[in-house]
Amino acid sequence: MQRSLSLVLSLMTAAFLFTATTAEARTPYQATLAEATDERVLVIRNAPWVCDGTECSTDGARSRPANVCHSFVRELGAVTAFIVDSEAMTEEELATCNEAAG
């Protein structure tokens, strides 16, 4: 009985730690601007973005990719690429996103 209880508690602890770690995992975002920016570090929707010329990235965005992209282009202008967790947005998704640039 003692052994079973120890095993159950160990499994529960491992599950809790895995869940906590997974919940804190962040999705990396990368954007390529159509025109270079002078901004080096800026915060968009509570996410710190780091830029170098036309390349910007963050792992702090916590919204849907489309929303993050819209907010990004409103601040910095049109993008030629927007990558979420190593997967690039399609041409159609980019066009929709860039509409927010005005």
Side-chain angles (χ1 to χ4, degrees), residues 16-80:
F16 173 78
L17 292 174
F18 177 78
T19 303
T21 303
T22 303
E24 292 175 13
R26 297 181 182 205
T27 301
Y29 286 79
Q30 296 173 302
T32 302
L33 291 162
E35 295 182 20
T37 182
D38 292 333
E39 298 287 338
R40 179 74 180 117
V41 178
L42 68 153
V43 176
I44 302 172
R45 292 185 71 167
N46 298 318
W49 285 82
V50 176
C51 298
D52 185 14
T54 60
E55 301 299 318
C56 299
S57 63
T58 187
D59 65 355
R62 295 183 183 173
S63 189
R64 290 180 335 133
N67 293 342
V68 174
C69 188
H70 283 107
S71 296
F72 182 85
V73 300
R74 275 190 218 113
E75 292 288 327
L76 293 174
V79 293
T80 59

